[in-house]
Amino acid sequence: MTTNENVTVTTTATATATATATRTLGAAGPSVFPLGLGCMGMSALYGEADRAESLATIHAALDAGVTLLDTGDFYGMGHNELLINEALRTAPAAAREQALTSVKFGALRTVEGGFTGYDGRPEAVKNFLAYSLQRLGRDHIDIYRIARVDPDVPIEETVGAIAEAVEAGHVRHIGLSEVGADTLRRAAAVAPIADLQIEYSLISRGIEDEILPTARELGIGITAYGVLSRGLISGHFARDRALAPGDFRGMSPRFQGDNLDRNLDLVDALRKVADSKGVSVAQTAIAWVLSRGEDIVPLVGARRRDRLAEALGAMEITLSKADLAAVEEAVPAGAAAGERYPAAQMAHLDSEH
């Protein structure tokens, strides 16, 4: 093992993800398939989705061995949880039994779809949880986490309320989302934390400085979302692509004007590395995240079976020391143009303060 930029990564002979391995979320968290399925895009924020294809994609993921299904109670204002409910009800019993649900809560929405803040009060935690259990059709949630820290409620109170739900059997494990190192420590002092869900990709590496080392010190796993930066570094996003109505990437700084051109230049450089190995750009980007440590589980936001199959193929890729060096030369840390969220949303990220 060696340390590069405060991050411990595997660089013995190769950095490889094996299809038969599992990864454990935290010192006392669940063992899961090395890739999780992020289901948000099946209900919200990327424009209209195909319901039948979404259900088929979840079934295909379960059939491939994927165990972790990630959602939020505010994705489509409950639509995503109901979709997962339907997918699990119509899946084979064995697949249904192996599925683990990871749910974010706390976001406050308007009828028009806007976001007005976050509620982490203990009584709100109990309320959100009751509705999620009903929509999911399950008697427990495997990992439960507030989507963003409520600035008006100490994290200790929010985590304490989830810990009570664990004691009651309604939740199995406690997670966190987009929190900084200090908040991570405060939360872990209240109850065991299985994992931190946070954006981590070739062009979003901010966690490497302080957050990831702190998580490792505390025995907390990482579920990495945005591993393809919302499709930006998937190799499938064209410079002249017209985004569908309701696709929030239309407001994302990294998809705007010169920023988009500069970021797609990075993708072009990464494509040369991928081509040299005979794999896709997306597979290379996912394999890089997989290589960062056995305590990291990438969440892939596939909405279609073909994209899911491509993502699963990343697990068969071996990145040698030379490959890893070539990837990082193509996409150096800090090279992305633009913030990962619009300014108003960045203000809600405890991880950025």
Side-chain angles (χ1 to χ4, degrees), residues 26-244:
S31 292
V32 299
F33 191 80
L35 290 179
L37 181 64
C39 299
M40 179 189 76
M42 298 176 181
S43 298
L45 300 178
Y46 288 107
E48 187 175 353
D50 183 320
R51 183 181 185 83
E53 182 62 24
S54 295
L55 291 169
T57 300
I58 296 174
H59 287 160
L62 294 171
D63 185 60
V66 173
T67 52
L68 190 64
L69 303 179
D70 184 76
T71 185
D73 63 10
F74 51 94
Y75 293 166
M77 277 74 99
H79 178 278
N80 205 236
E81 289 178 319
L82 292 169
L83 184 75
I84 290 173
N85 180 333
E86 182 178 351
L88 292 177
R89 281 191 291 106
T90 54
R96 182 166 60 250
E97 291 169 4
Q98 75 177 6
L100 302 177
T101 53
S102 168
V103 179
K104 291 178 289 298
F105 69 90
L108 303 176
R109 305 293 303 272
T110 66
V111 174
E112 294 75 22
F115 288 84
T116 61
Y118 296 89
D119 192 344
R121 295 171 300 145
E123 57 267 39
V125 174
K126 296 175 183 178
N127 179 77
F128 288 128
L129 176 59
Y131 280 87
S132 282
L133 289 171
Q134 178 68 26
R135 285 188 292 260
L136 288 166
R138 295 169 76 87
D139 63 5
H140 71 276
I141 289 170
D142 294 285
I143 311 175
Y144 201 51
R145 70 188 86 239
I146 190 166
R148 301 288 186 266
V149 174
D150 181 344
D152 298 322
V153 178
I155 193 65
E156 291 86 350
E157 293 185 17
T158 303
V159 169
I162 305 175
E164 291 180 4
V166 172
E167 293 176 5
H170 303 313
V171 171
R172 295 281 169 83
H173 302 281
I174 304 171
L176 293 168
S177 176
E178 285 290 353
V179 304
D182 179 63
T183 302
L184 201 58
R185 291 186 186 280
R186 290 167 51 201
V190 175
I193 305 298
D195 72 318
L196 168 64
Q197 188 173 121
I198 195 162
E199 186 167 355
Y200 188 38
S201 72
L202 273 168
I203 64 171
S204 295
R205 297 179 60 174
I207 72 169
E208 294 178 351
D209 294 332
E210 186 178 9
I211 295 173
L212 182 53
T214 300
R216 286 177 166 161
E217 175 192 335
L218 298 171
I220 296 171
I222 299 291
T223 42
Y225 76 88
V227 293
L228 297 179
S229 196
R230 299 159 187 85
L232 181 59
I233 60 172
S234 68
H236 301 300
F237 200 93
R239 294 175 189 270
D240 59 352
R241 177 174 174 178
L243 294 172

Side-chain angles (χ1 to χ4, degrees), residues 239 258-270 330:
R239 294 175 189 270
D258 291 343
N259 286 349
L260 177 61
D261 285 334
R262 289 162 58 190
N263 291 329
L264 290 181
D265 285 345
L266 297 175
V267 176
D268 289 340
L270 183 61

